[in-house]
């Protein structure tokens, strides 16, 4: 260091200390704290963070898929939700007209062998009411129909006589007609596939689909689908929800659960085979853990497609013989099902299951390189035996696949082979904040951790508060620091339909037409550049350090590089902070440097449909950016300094 630079640093520190001392003397009531954050940015002490560190976990919970990111507008489209015994409930379908003019009941006459239930509709009136009689479907708490947009209707019908159906998109009371078309049904004993494009001439956020007729007689209906034409890349996903995921820059996507994989009973577990192939032939199933029916339009193939669309590595969680109430003995279980699922994803075009993938529209293999054997099953009697049987079969057939165990290896080595182990943590804000040091003492040469589920989920968490996001941010700085033993991490749950809050809070909340990110969602956007970045050691010197957590990385955007220093102040006191960076090989460009702050007036502040940006990061210029820097941290805040790095320093 040159004498001039050393002199400038001495003067700088003296002035800062005088400034801090004066402020403390005049603001005893505020109990402003002093902290020094030291960052060692030297290359010799830097370490690469795994490319996969931060991603997302998608579980079919809170109607995240059905009525969520999967854009299908019809709920219970195949009339299967009422069960296999007929007559059965057709909820949420209802009749138009009364029981004196129309009679509906399910029977087992469908042309699809895997979902045999269909609806028999008998029209009893010869001179029916204006507009006809029939059935309507409100979708998932109302269909969002928007002016000028196209909607694709597909349904199957059978009538022994020629008849005419009117299909309409209307308001929830049927009084506003947004779009309507007439479809002819030829008299035949065979089922006919009917397709119709509907163009909306108005907007209504809580619309319904109507199918009506004025002609007396009997008609059977089945597999009625209504999809908007503007889904993401035409793949069936709601664009606005995909956009929010893309903004997180997820490096992986774990799917489809969670408890959704297991079921309370095995008969209700997710079965990948029944979720692939033509959508009309998928039987669907009742997700008994979260209490609702899914048609499985969002199936194994669609999860793989969504991963690809997001540029995220797929992590396939499969059932290995357990529900919440049952276990399959190791002697009775076989690994063929998982091997077939991997052949579907990765197999050649002429393989049995690979050819089905091709027929569905994806000739190229999906790059599945991670699988998780079960979910939270480690303590179950047959888990180890079942796990080893699956592990051997997968390793032999696909030696490159990383296999993830349910057993915790953070404190002691696993007693079975695994590339990665799964780790879940939920609790109150104190728990998550204290967990920032969880992996400090983990053996550095053992199996890597996948923190696949983390969140503040109790004690005043509300619908997702500022406090929750601060505790989670502190936890993530600890994962960055320990990214030599932590391979991946994801928040849970990802999505929540505002009409189904089975698990609260979630990162993204939506209804049929709006969405917003919780404070925890916005917190994660500040970590989206961490995957694949370079980590630098940091130390905090302060009597207040128990309320602070920090990390530092360098990351690149296009042709620019940045040193990002993140610090959480979860305490009630403001902090006068000195950031002192050593070891930088480049000069700091003050003009391109920024500061981003996530905070709010109250710890319990949330976001909502009426105030979607109540708690969001705010970015502004950082005019005093430099290797030695003074900053003020407000109480209950998460601050990120992005120091733009310019020309290389000249070594004298």
């Amino acid at each position: 260091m040159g004498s001039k630079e050393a002199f400038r640093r001495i003067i700088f520190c003296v002035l800062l200390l005088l400034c801090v001392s004066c402020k403390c003397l005049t603001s005893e009531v505020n109990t402003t704290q002093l902290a020094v954050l030291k960052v060692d940015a030297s290359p010799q002490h830097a370490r690469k963070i795994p490319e996969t560190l931060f991603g997302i976990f998608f579980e079919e919970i809170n109607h995240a898929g059905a009525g969520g990111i999967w854009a299908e507008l019809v709920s219970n489209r195949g009339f299967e939700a009422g069960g296999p015994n007929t007559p059965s409930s057709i909820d949420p379908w209802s009749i138009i007209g009364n029981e004196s003019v129309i009679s509906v009941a399910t029977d087992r006459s469908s042309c699809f062998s895997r979902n045999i239930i269909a609806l028999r509709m008998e029209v009893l009136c010869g001179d029916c009411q204006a507009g006809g009689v029939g059935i309507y479907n409100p979708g998932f708490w109302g269909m969002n129909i928007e002016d000028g947009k196209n909607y694709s209707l597909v349904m199957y019908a059978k009538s022994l006589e020629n008849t005419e159906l009117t299909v309409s998109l209307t308001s929830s009371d049927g009084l506003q007609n947004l779009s309507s078309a007439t479809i002819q049904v030829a008299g035949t004993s065979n089922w006919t596939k009917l397709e119709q494009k509907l163009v909306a001439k108005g907007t209504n956020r809580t619309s319904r689909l109507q199918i009506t007729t004025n002609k007396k007689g009997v008609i059977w209906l089945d597999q009625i689908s209504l999809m908007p034409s503007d889904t993401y890349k035409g793949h069936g996903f709601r664009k606005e929800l995909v956009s929010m995921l893309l903004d997180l820059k997820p490096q992986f996507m774990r799917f489809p659960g969670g408890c959704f994989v297991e079921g309370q009973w095995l008969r209700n577990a997710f079965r990948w085979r029944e979720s692939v192939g033509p959508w009309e032939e998928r039987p669907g199933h009742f997700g008994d853990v979260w209490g609702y029916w899914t048609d499985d339009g969002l199936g194994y193939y669609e999860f793989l497609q969504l991963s690809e669309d997001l540029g995220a590595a797929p992590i396939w969680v499969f059932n290995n013989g357990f529900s919440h109430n049952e276990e399959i003995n190791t002697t009775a279980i076989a690994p063929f099902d998982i091997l077939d699922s991997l052949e579907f994803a990765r197999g050649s075009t002429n393989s049995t299951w690979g050819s089905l993938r091709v027929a569905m529209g994806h000739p190229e293999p999906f790059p599945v390189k991670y699988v998780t054997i079960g979910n939270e099953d480690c303590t179950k009697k047959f888990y180890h035996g079942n796990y080893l049987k699956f592990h051997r079969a997968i390793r032999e057939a696909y030696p490159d696949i990383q296999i993830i165990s349910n057993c915790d290896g953070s404190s002691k080595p696993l007693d079975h082979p695994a590339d990665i182990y799964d780790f879940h943590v939920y609790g109150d804000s104190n728990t998550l904040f204290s967990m920032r040091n969880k992996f400090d003492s983990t053996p550095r040469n053992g199996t890597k951790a996948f923190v696949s589920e983390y969140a503040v989920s109790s004690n005043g968490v509300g619908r997702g508060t500022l406090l929750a996001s601060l505790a989670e941010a502190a936890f993530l700085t600890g994962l960055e620091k320990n990214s030599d033993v932590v391979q991946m991490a994801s928040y849970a749950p990802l999505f929540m339909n505002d009409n189904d809050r089975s698990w609260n809070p979630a990162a993204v909340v939506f209804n049929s037409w709006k969405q917003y990110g919780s404070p925890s969602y916005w917190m994660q956007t500040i970590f989206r550049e961490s995957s694949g970045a370079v980590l630098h050691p940091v130390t905090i010197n302060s009597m207040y350090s128990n309320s602070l957590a920090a990390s530092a990385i360098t990351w690149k955007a296009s042709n620019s590089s940045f040193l990002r220093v993140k610090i959480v102040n979860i305490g009630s006191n403001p902090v006068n902070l000195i950031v002192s960076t050593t070891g930088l090989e480049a000069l700091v460009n003050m003009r391109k440097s920024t500061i981003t702050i996530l905070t709010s007036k109250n710890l319990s502040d949330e976001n909502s449909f009426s105030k979607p940006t109540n708690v969001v990061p705010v970015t502004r210029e950082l005019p005093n950016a430099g290797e030695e820097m003074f900053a003020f941290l407000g109480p209950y805040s998460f601050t990120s300094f992005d120091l733009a790095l310019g020309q290389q320093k000249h070594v004298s």
Side-chain angles (χ1 to χ4, degrees):
M1 180 187 299
S3 58
K4 288 184 179 180
E5 185 177 349
F7 178 77
R8 282 198 300 268
R9 288 198 172 193
I10 292 170
I11 294 298
F12 178 82
C13 290
V14 169
L15 289 173
L16 284 179
L17 288 173
L18 285 172
C19 175
V20 170
S21 299
C22 292
K23 187 161 187 175
C24 288
L25 288 172
T26 59
S27 58
E28 297 244 343
V29 176
N30 295 332
T31 59
T32 302
Q33 303 292 321
L34 174 64
V36 178
L37 175 60
K38 295 181 179 179
V39 180
D40 180 358
S42 60
Q44 58 267 36
H45 295 139
R47 174 169 50 79
K48 181 79 178 295
I49 293 175
E51 298 284 350
T52 56
L53 185 58
F54 293 125
I56 57 174
F57 165 43
F58 187 102
E59 175 157 20
E60 180 59 271
I61 182 176
N62 302 329
H63 278 82
I69 198 169
W70 187 242
E72 173 63 64
L73 294 173
V74 177
S75 177
N76 188 19
R77 65 186 178 189
F79 305 101
E80 306 289 330
N85 299 317
T86 58
S88 57
S89 169
I90 63 171
D91 185 67
W93 292 91
S94 295
I95 62 171
I96 299 170
N98 58 51
E99 293 180 354
S100 66
V101 293
I102 183 172
S103 173
V104 299
T106 56
D107 63 21
R108 298 173 63 84
S109 63
S110 174
C111 59
F112 301 110
S113 60
R114 291 202 297 175
N115 43 8
I116 199 66
I117 306 300
L119 183 74
R120 180 184 185 274
M121 182 172 78
E122 183 174 3
V123 177
L124 306 173
C125 52
D127 184 18
C128 298
Q129 63 192 46
V133 298
I135 56 174
Y136 72 86
N137 187 289
F140 300 90
W141 301 282
M143 298 179 181
N144 178 35
I145 302 301
E146 296 183 323
D147 186 38
K149 288 193 175 181
N150 297 322
Y151 299 85
S152 298
L153 175 70
V154 179
M155 65 181 185
Y156 289 77
K158 180 178 72 170
S159 176
L160 298 180
E161 298 179 356
N162 292 339
T163 193
E164 185 177 271
L165 295 176
T166 299
V167 292
S168 307
L169 301 177
T170 75
S171 57
S172 59
D173 57 9
L175 298 179
Q176 179 190 14
N177 193 312
L178 303 168
S179 184
S180 188
T182 300
I183 301 177
Q184 302 297 326
V185 181
T188 175
S189 60
N190 296 321
W191 284 88
T192 303
K193 182 178 182 179
L194 306 172
E195 300 181 76
Q196 180 66 48
K197 297 291 184 184
L198 296 170
V199 181
K201 297 179 180 178
T203 294
N204 190 294
R205 307 300 188 182
T206 56
S207 305
R208 70 190 198 187
L209 169 68
Q210 294 187 171
I211 304 172
T212 57
T213 184
N214 283 297
K215 184 174 181 181
K216 187 176 182 179
V218 177
I219 187 169
W220 284 264
L221 300 170
D222 197 12
Q223 296 302 327
I224 303 168
S225 171
L226 182 70
M227 291 284 280
S229 61
D230 62 343
T231 61
Y232 187 74
K233 293 187 175 182
H235 291 157
F237 309 116
R238 272 178 65 172
K239 290 195 297 186
E240 64 275 19
L241 296 183
V242 172
S243 177
M244 294 194 74
L245 299 187
L246 288 169
D247 284 346
L248 293 175
K249 298 182 180 178
Q251 298 303 302
F252 64 82
M253 189 180 88
R254 177 182 184 240
F255 69 88
C259 297
F260 181 73
V261 170
E262 304 166 294
Q264 294 287 7
W265 303 96
L266 283 170
R267 65 176 178 270
N268 294 319
F270 177 78
R271 301 181 187 279
W272 77 269
R273 293 174 190 269
E274 297 179 352
S275 75
V276 296
W279 61 267
E280 303 96 324
E281 298 177 10
R282 302 182 191 183
H285 77 288
F286 179 65
D288 60 355
V289 174
W290 306 120
Y292 60 91
W293 176 266
T294 62
D295 289 314
D296 288 333
L298 179 60
Y300 180 53
Y301 174 88
E302 287 75 20
F303 282 118
L304 293 169
Q305 184 64 68
L306 180 58
S307 299
E308 181 177 274
D309 289 349
L310 295 172
I315 301 180
W316 164 221
V317 184
F318 66 88
N319 188 298
N320 65 320
F322 302 98
S323 70
H324 287 186
N325 294 290
E326 301 156 292
E327 296 189 34
I328 296 179
N329 192 302
T330 302
T331 59
I333 203 163
F336 302 121
D337 191 64
I338 177 60
L339 295 179
D340 287 346
S341 75
L342 293 174
E343 181 180 280
F344 177 90
R346 296 180 37 156
S348 66
T349 58
N350 56 9
S351 64
T352 300
W353 290 101
S355 62
L356 177 57
R357 182 195 71 242
V358 174
M360 293 182 70
H362 203 282
E364 296 300 317
F366 288 108
V368 176
K369 294 183 179 179
Y370 300 92
V371 296
T372 300
I373 302 179
N375 174 68
E376 297 179 347
D377 294 327
C378 183
T379 59
K380 294 178 178 175
K381 179 179 178 181
F382 296 112
Y383 180 73
H384 282 69
N386 292 5
Y387 173 91
L388 290 172
K389 184 173 278 190
F390 283 102
H391 184 280
R392 283 193 295 268
I394 296 168
R395 182 64 80 224
E396 181 178 343
Y398 300 94
D400 63 312
I401 285 183
Q402 299 278 288
I403 300 174
I404 303 169
S405 167
N406 288 178
C407 300
D408 182 7
S410 62
S411 301
K412 61 180 181 179
L414 298 178
D415 62 358
H416 55 274
D419 300 293
I420 302 170
Y421 64 88
D422 204 358
F423 185 89
H424 298 178
V425 55
Y426 296 102
D428 60 17
S429 58
N430 289 331
T431 299
L432 267 289
F433 186 79
S434 65
M435 290 286 285
R436 69 192 186 282
N437 300 318
K438 165 65 182 175
F439 295 95
D440 287 2
S441 57
T442 296
R444 312 325 272 182
N445 57 355
T447 306
K448 306 299 182 184
F450 177 16
V451 184
S452 66
E453 299 181 32
Y454 75 85
V456 172
S457 60
S458 60
N459 289 2
V461 71
R463 294 190 171 193
T465 62
L466 170 66
L467 176 59
S469 69
L470 297 180
E472 291 156 358
F475 177 64
L476 295 191
T477 65
L479 297 189
E480 286 181 321
K481 180 177 66 173
N482 287 290
S483 57
D484 57 329
V485 295
V486 178
Q487 187 80 12
M488 293 176 276
S490 50
Y491 179 91
L494 181 61
F495 282 128
M496 175 191 295
N497 188 309
D498 192 51
N499 298 284
D500 178 7
R501 291 181 171 268
S502 298
W503 186 290
N504 192 64
V508 177
V509 182
F510 61 87
N511 57 22
S512 68
W513 63 285
K514 290 188 294 187
Q515 62 284 324
Y516 67 85
S518 69
S520 295
Y521 169 85
W522 291 108
M523 174 276 297
Q524 291 177 70
T525 65
I526 302 175
F527 286 87
R528 61 190 171 193
E529 281 82 21
S530 295
S531 300
V534 175
L535 179 75
H536 302 290
V538 301
T539 56
I540 300 175
N541 295 324
S542 176
M543 295 179 63
Y544 191 61
S545 59
N546 287 338
S547 295
L548 303 174
S551 66
I553 63 169
T554 51
W555 62 281
K556 294 183 178 181
S558 300
N559 296 321
S560 301
S561 294
F562 296 86
L563 172 67
R564 174 171 292 175
V565 180
K566 301 187 290 288
I567 184 164
V568 177
N569 177 11
I570 204 169
S572 59
N573 296 326
V575 176
N576 286 317
L577 177 70
I578 299 172
V579 181
S580 178
T581 303
T582 59
L584 273 180
E585 295 185 332
L587 299 173
V588 175
N589 184 336
M590 288 187 293
R591 290 183 301 171
K592 294 184 178 180
S593 298
T594 60
I595 180 173
T596 300
I597 303 173
L598 178 67
T599 190
S600 192
K601 293 180 180 179
N602 300 300
L603 271 177
S604 58
D605 281 352
E606 305 173 344
N607 293 332
S608 63
F609 289 123
S610 59
K611 294 182 178 180
T613 58
N614 190 40
V615 186
V616 297
V618 176
T619 300
R620 56 179 172 81
E621 294 180 349
L622 186 61
N624 66 327
E627 295 178 54
E628 303 288 344
M629 194 169 59
F630 173 75
F632 178 77
L633 303 180
Y636 308 125
S637 62
F638 177 28
T639 303
S640 175
F641 305 95
D642 271 307
L643 307 184
L645 303 180
Q647 296 179 342
Q648 293 292 304
K649 292 179 179 178
H650 296 292
V651 180
S652 57

